[in-house]
C-alpha cells in the first residue's frame, strides 16, 4: 500500500484527498493542484453568502476527523457573524498529530498541502474570519517544508493575502510549530500554546467559537476536516454523501501499521470494513503472524477483536465493535507481541504526557502504568488486575479536566476485556513469556532536556 | 544583550505573525534554538528582555515542551520513536543498535560532540516503524544493520 494516492477501482474524481498527489511522492505544486480541480471550491464559495457555505458543510454530514467526530457545519454555525461580531476571528488548524498510532495528517500535508490552505480559506469565508494559524507538530519537518512552499505559491498567485483573488476578502495563514507535547493537540490547550501560555487545557464554557484564541471567536479543526471541504463546495453535499459505503458520507484516509505485507495510508470510502483494509489494501499479515487485535484510530481508541473486523469504519458504526473510529489509522497487535507489554508502553506514554493539571490524571496514570510494569516484569500480585479495572472505571467517570485521561483508559479497558488470560498468566507465571517482551521504561520519562 | 543583529532581524520578522509580543515566545525560542542548538541561561535572559517576559515565564514554556534544549546538545540530534507501533516492530533492537554504534545511552551526547540521543513519542510514521529521526530527516523502517550507514552521513 505504501501510502499511494487512492487505488484502482475508485476513480480519481472520487478521491478528493489524494487526487492531486504526485506519483513521485513530492508535494503537489500549485499547478499540480489546480490541474486536479484545486481552488475551484474557493472560486464557487466567493460567490456565496457565509451561511450558504456552512449549510453545504452541514448538509454533507462532515464530522471532525481529529478523533471526536463533532459536526463541522454545526461548529462553524456557532461563530458570530455580521458587523457586530468581535474581530479579529481566527481559523486554527490542528496539525499536532502526536497521539501514538496516528499517521494520516503527516501524509496529507506532505503530499497535498494546498488542499489544507483551500479548506482553511473556505472556513474563513464561511465564518468571516480574519487570520489563520496551522499549529504543526514540531518533528514534522517534511510537512513544514511542503506547507511553506504552498503558502509562498498561494500568496504569489493571490489565493492568500490582502485581497484574495481580487474579491476584497483578506486572509493569510501563519505556520506555528509546537513546543512539543501531546496535550498541545487538545484544542483548548492548543490555543494556550499558540498564545505562548503554558499549555494546560482551558475550562469550557466559554466555547472557542465565542472566546477562543486571544479571547476572540475561533474555529479549531483537524487537518483532514479542512481538507474535506473544498470537494464539498466544488461538487456539492449530495456528491459527498454518495462517496461512502455507509450513510456517513465522504472518503477518508485510513492506514495500516504492523506486521502486514504493505503498511501505509490509503484513501477509501467511509465505511469500508477493517477486514478489507487489512486483508486487501495492506496485503494481509506477514507469514508466521496471526492477528490478536486492532487499535483502530490512535492509542486512545479501544482494541477491536478479530471477530469484529467486518464492522464498517465510521463514526457511527465503530460502537458495534465497542471502540471508536478515532483517526482511522489501524495499528495491529500480532500474536507474537505481548498485549500486557503493549499496554505498558501505551500507559507510559499517557502518564508521561499528562499535563499535570488535575490529580486523578497526574497521579493515577503514573500509578496504573507502574502496576502494569509490575505485571510485565514479574512483580504482579493477584489483586492488581482488579485495581486496574477499578482505575479504569474511576478515570472514565468524568473526574478529569480533559479527555486525555479517559482516552488513556480506552486501550486498557479493552485489553482487560479481550485478554484476561494474558493478564492472569502474567501474575501466575511471574512475568511475561512472550518473545516480544515489554521494553524497559523510556529513559527520560517526565524529564525535559 | 548577546542577541546578534541578525538574530534580532529574524526575531523582529516573526513578531508580525502574532497580535502581541508575548505570543511570539514559543516561536522565538524555536528560532533561537535552531541557530544556537540549545538555549543557555544567557539566551533565555536575552529573549526575556527582548519579549518583555521574565525568564521564569519562558522556562515555564521551555520545561513544558519536550524539545526545548536547556542543556548543550551535539551537532546532530537522533530521536528514536518509543511508542507502541514502533515498540512492536523492533524499537528495542533499533535502540540497542544505535546505542552500540554511538557508544552512548538515551539522554547522552557522544564525547566528540557529534550526536545526542533522545527518545521521542510516535513520529506519525507508524507505517514505517521502527522509525527514527536524525535532525530534520525521518528514517524508517530502520533495521539494526542499517544504523551505521544512516549515521555515517551526519558529520
Ligand atoms: C489529549 C488530546 C490530544 C489531541 N490531539 C489532537 C491532534 O493532534 N489533532 C487533532 O486534530 N485533534 C486532537 N485532539 C482533539 C481536539 O481536541 C479537537 O477535538 C479537534 O482538533 C477538533 O477538530 P475536528 O472537529 O476537526 O476533529 C486531541 C484531544 C485530546 C484530548
Ligand atoms: S486530564 Fe490530564 S492532561 Fe487533561 S487537564 Fe487533567 S492532568 Fe491535564
Ligand atoms: S509509533 Fe513510532 S511512528 Fe508511530
Amino acid at each position: 500500500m505504501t501510502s499511494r494516492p487512492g487505488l484502482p477501482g475508485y476513480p480519481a474524481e472520487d478521491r478528493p484527498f489524494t487526487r492531486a498527489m504526485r506519483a513521485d511522492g513530492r508535494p503537489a505544486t500549485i499547478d499540480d493542484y489546480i490541474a486536479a480541480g484545486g481552488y475551484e471550491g474557493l472560486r464557487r464559495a466567493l460567490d456565496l453568502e457565509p451561511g450558504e457555505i456552512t449549510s453545504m458543510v452541514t448538509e454533507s454530514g462532515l464530522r471532525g476527523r481529529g478523533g471526536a467526530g463533532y459536526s463541522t457545519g454545526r461548529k462553524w454555525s456557532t461563530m458570530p457573524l455580521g458587523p457586530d461580531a468581535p474581530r479579529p476571528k481566527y481559523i486554527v488548524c490542528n496539525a499536532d498529530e502526536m497521539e501514538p498510532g496516528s499517521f494520516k495528517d503527516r501524509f496529507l500535508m506532505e503530499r497535498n498541502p494546498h488542499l489544507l490552505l483551500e479548506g482553511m480559506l473556505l472556513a474563513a469565508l464561511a465564518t468571516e474570519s480574519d487570520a489563520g494559524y496551522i499549529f504543526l507538530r514540531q518533528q514534522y519537518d517534511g510537512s513544514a517544508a511542503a506547507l511553506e512552499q504552498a503558502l509562498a505559491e498561494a500568496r504569489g498567485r493571490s489565493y492568500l493575502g490582502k485581497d484574495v483573488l481580487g474579491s476584497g476578502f483578506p486572509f493569510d495563514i501563519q505556520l506555528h510549530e509546537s513546543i512539543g507535547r501531546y496535550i498541545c493537540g487538545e484544542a483548548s490547550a492548543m490555543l494556550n500554546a499558540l498564545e505562548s501560555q503554558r499549555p494546560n487545557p482551558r475550562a469550557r464554557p466559554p466555547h472557542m467559537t465565542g472566546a477562543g484564541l486571544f479571547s476572540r471567536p475561533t474555529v479549531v479543526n483537524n487537518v483532514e476536516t479542512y481538507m474535506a471541504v473544498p470537494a464539498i463546495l466544488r461538487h456539492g453535499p449530495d456528491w459527498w454523501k454518495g462517496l461512502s459505503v455507509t450513510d456517513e458520507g465522504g472518503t477518508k484516509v485510513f492506514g495500516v501499521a504492523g506486521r502486514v505485507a504493505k503498511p501505509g495510508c490509503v484513501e477509501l470510502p467511509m465505511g469500508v470494513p477493517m477486514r478489507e483494509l487489512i486483508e486487501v489494501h495492506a496485503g494481509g499479515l506477514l507469514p508466521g503472524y496471526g492477528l490478536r487485535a486492532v487499535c483502530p484510530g490512535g492509542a486512545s481508541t479501544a482494541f477491536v477483536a478479530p471477530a469484529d473486523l467486518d464492522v464498517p469504519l465510521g463514526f457511527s458504526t465503530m460502537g458495534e465493535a465497542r471502540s471508536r473510529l478515532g483517526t482511522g489509522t489501524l495499528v495491529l497487535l500480532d500474536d507474537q507481541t505481548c498485549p500486557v507489554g503493549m499496554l505498558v508502553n501505551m500507559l507510559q506514554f499517557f502518564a508521561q504526557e499528562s499535563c499535570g493539571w488535575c490529580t486523578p490524571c497526574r497521579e493515577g496514570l503514573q500509578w496504573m502504568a507502574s502496576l502494569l510494569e509490575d505485571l510485565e516484569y514479574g512483580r504482579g500480585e493477584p489483586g492488581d488486575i482488579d485495581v486496574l479495572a477499578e482505575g479504569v472505571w474511576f478515570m472514565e467517570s468524568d473526574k478529569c479536566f480533559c479527555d486525555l485521561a479517559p482516552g488513556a483508559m480506552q486501550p486498557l479497558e479493552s485489553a482487560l476485556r479481550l485478554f484476561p488470560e494474558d493478564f492472569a498468566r502474567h501474575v501466575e507465571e511471574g512475568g511475561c513469556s512472550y518473545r516480544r517482551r515489554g521494553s524497559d521504561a523510556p529513559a527520560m520519562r517526565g524529564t525535559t532536556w | 544583550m548577546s542577541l546578534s543583529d541578525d538574530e534580532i532581524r529574524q526575531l523582529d520578522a516573526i513578531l508580525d505573525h502574532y497580535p502581541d509580543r508575548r505570543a511570539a515566545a514559543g516561536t522565538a525560542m524555536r528560532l533561537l534554538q535552531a541557530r544556537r542548538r540549545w538555549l543557555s541561561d544567557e539566551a533565555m535572559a536575552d529573549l526575556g528582555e527582548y519579549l518583555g517576559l521574565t525568564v521564569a515565564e519562558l522556562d515555564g514554556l521551555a520545561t513544558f515542551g519536550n524539545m526545548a534544549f536547556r542543556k548543550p546538545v551535539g551537532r546532530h540530534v537522533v530521536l528514536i520513536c518509543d511508542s507502541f507501533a514502533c515498540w512492536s516492530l523492533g524499537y528495542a533492537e533499533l535502540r540497542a543498535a544505535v546505542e552500540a554504534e554511538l557508544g552512548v545511552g538515551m539522554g547522552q551526547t557522544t564525547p566528540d560532540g557529534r550526536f545526542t540521543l533522545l527518545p521521542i513519542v510516535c513520529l506519525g510514521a507508524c507505517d514505517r516503524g521502527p522509525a527514527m529521526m536524525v535532525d530534520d530527516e525521518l528514517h524508517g523502517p530502520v533495521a539494526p544493520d542499517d544504523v551505521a550507514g544512516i549515521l555515517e552521513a551526519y558529520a
Side-chain angles (χ1 to χ4, degrees):
Chain A
M1 186 150 78
T2 348
S3 305
R4 66 173 180 267
L7 279 174
Y10 296 105
E13 271 310 287
D14 293 352
R15 291 188 254 125
F17 291 101
T18 54
R19 68 183 158 205
M21 287 185 186
R22 297 170 63 95
D24 65 7
R26 298 216 316 276
T29 64
I30 194 164
D31 291 318
D32 296 328
Y33 185 64
I34 290 170
Y39 289 117
E40 271 183 35
L42 174 68
R43 287 182 192 280
R44 297 211 178 162
L46 285 170
D47 294 330
L48 298 176
E49 292 299 317
E52 293 178 298
I53 302 172
T54 301
S55 296
M56 287 175 77
V57 174
T58 308
E59 274 169 48
S60 75
L62 177 64
R63 294 172 65 172
R65 304 278 173 98
Y70 189 77
S71 158
T72 306
R74 203 173 316 150
K75 185 186 280 184
W76 292 9
S77 68
T78 58
M79 284 284 273
L81 295 180
D84 299 331
R87 296 308 265 265
K89 292 186 266 184
Y90 294 107
I91 299 299
V92 174
C93 173
N94 191 342
D96 197 46
E97 193 160 66
M98 276 186 83
E99 180 163 313
S102 307
F103 50 99
K104 65 184 176 65
D105 295 341
R106 187 177 60 80
F107 163 68
L108 282 166
M109 290 185 288
E110 284 182 3
R111 302 285 298 274
N112 204 2
H114 282 282
L115 186 58
L116 177 56
L117 307 190
E118 187 180 3
M120 291 177 71
L121 271 157
L122 292 169
L125 277 173
T127 57
E128 299 178 329
S129 291
D130 304 274
Y133 288 98
I134 298 170
F135 186 91
L136 185 67
R137 165 87 193 263
Q138 193 177 112
Q139 282 77 26
Y140 277 16
D141 297 278
S143 304
L147 288 165
E148 294 283 13
Q149 171 70 28
L151 285 166
E153 289 172 340
R155 287 182 192 126
R157 301 216 198 155
S158 99
Y159 288 100
L160 287 173
K162 292 192 166 40
D163 182 8
V164 172
L165 295 179
S167 65
F169 169 66
F171 189 73
D172 207 343
I173 297 171
Q174 301 297 342
L175 196 57
H176 178 106
E177 276 185 47
S178 173
I179 58 167
R181 280 299 285 277
Y182 171 53
I183 195 61
C184 295
E186 197 278 339
S188 68
M190 167 169 304
L191 300 183
N192 280 335
L194 266 169
E195 295 178 13
S196 291
Q197 313 279 354
R198 207 169 155 89
N200 299 106
R202 293 179 180 176
R204 269 166 275 188
H207 282 284
M208 290 167 207
T209 49
L213 186 62
F214 303 108
S215 305
R216 295 297 193 284
T218 303
V219 165
V220 178
N221 277 123
N222 171 256
V223 171
E224 193 185 357
T225 312
Y226 288 119
M227 286 189 171
V229 179
I232 295 170
L233 264 290
R234 182 171 168 219
H235 302 288
D238 288 336
W239 173 86
W240 174 262
K241 280 194 260 182
L243 291 179
S244 59
V245 179
T246 48
D247 60 7
E248 272 187 285
T251 57
K252 165 143 189 35
V253 173
F254 297 104
V256 184
R259 304 231 176 236
V260 288
K262 295 180 287 176
C265 294
V266 65
E267 176 174 8
L268 290 170
M270 191 69 122
V272 294
M274 287 170 272
R275 187 184 305 283
E276 180 184 327
L277 197 58
I278 296 167
E279 290 178 2
V280 179
H281 305 296
L285 267 82
L286 291 174
Y289 289 92
L291 182 67
R292 290 209 70 197
V294 177
C295 178
S300 70
T301 58
F303 283 100
V304 171
D308 286 328
L309 282 188
D310 293 310
V311 172
L313 280 158
F315 290 108
S316 56
T317 44
M318 283 296 283
E320 294 166 34
R322 297 183 67 172
S323 188
R324 300 186 296 128
L325 176 62
T327 57
T329 46
L330 280 47
V331 176
L332 310 191
L333 171 64
D334 62 69
D335 60 359
Q336 286 165 46
T337 301
C338 174
V340 180
M342 189 172 266
L343 261 295
V344 171
N345 181 288
M346 293 166 108
L347 264 289
Q348 282 171 344
F349 166 81
F350 287 111
Q352 169 185 299
E353 296 299 320
S354 165
C355 83
W357 182 256
C358 56
T359 312
C361 173
R362 182 186 61 240
E363 306 293 327
L365 291 179
Q366 292 284 1
W367 182 55
M368 293 172 87
S370 70
L371 277 176
L372 284 162
E373 285 165 25
D374 286 348
L375 288 174
E376 184 68 8
Y377 297 108
R379 302 183 296 263
E381 289 171 19
D384 288 354
I385 295 163
D386 297 331
V387 176
L388 284 170
E390 200 178 331
V392 168
W393 166 80
F394 184 85
M395 307 275 265
E396 276 184 337
S397 42
D398 235 11
K399 293 183 170 63
C400 298
F401 193 67
C402 84
D403 287 336
L404 184 143
M409 295 299 102
Q410 306 298 302
L412 181 54
E413 178 277 325
S414 59
L416 290 170
R417 173 162 49 77
L418 295 175
F419 310 114
E421 71 291 351
D422 279 282
F423 282 89
R425 210 170 54 238
H426 276 69
V427 179
E428 285 153 21
E429 295 178 2
C432 181
S433 55
Y434 277 83
R435 194 165 63 80
R436 291 211 74 73
R437 305 183 39 127
S439 52
D440 54 351
M444 298 180 38
R445 170 137 53 101
T447 66
T448 41
W449 184 243
Chain B
M1 190 136 97
S2 71
L3 296 173
S4 70
D5 290 346
D6 201 33
E7 284 168 341
I8 289 177
R9 243 191 320 277
Q10 276 191 303
L11 287 168
D12 284 347
I14 60 164
L15 288 181
D16 359 307
H17 299 182
Y18 303 93
D20 62 42
R21 266 181 117 76
R22 179 208 167 96
T27 304
M29 281 196 300
R30 296 271 299 133
L31 194 149
L32 213 56
Q33 180 168 302
R35 294 184 54 116
R36 300 182 178 193
R37 281 196 261 151
W38 69 287
L39 297 165
S40 65
D41 289 349
E42 195 193 20
M44 293 290 270
D46 289 342
L47 210 49
E49 195 180 320
Y50 173 82
L51 292 167
L53 292 174
T54 64
V55 172
E57 285 174 295
L58 283 178
D59 254 335
L61 271 183
T63 58
F64 196 108
N66 60 4
M67 284 291 136
F69 300 145
R70 292 286 277 112
K71 288 185 251 177
V73 290
R75 289 197 296 286
H76 305 286
V77 175
V78 181
L79 303 174
I80 304 181
C81 169
D82 64 16
S83 292
F84 76 115
C86 289
W87 170 85
S88 78
L89 290 167
Y91 156 76
E93 292 82 352
L94 172 59
R95 175 178 164 179
V98 174
E99 287 180 337
E101 182 64 27
L102 297 181
V104 296
M106 278 291 170
Q108 296 177 339
T109 299
T110 55
D112 59 2
R114 188 168 154 206
F115 290 107
T116 295
L117 178 59
L118 293 172
I120 190 72
V121 302
C122 178
L123 289 166
C126 319
D127 52 339
R128 292 170 59 184
M132 69 178 206
M133 280 187 88
V134 187
D135 300 334
D136 57 0
E137 281 174 296
L138 181 68
H139 300 274
V142 186
D145 287 347
D146 301 340
V147 167
I150 291 173
L151 294 178
E152 206 175 33
Y154 299 87

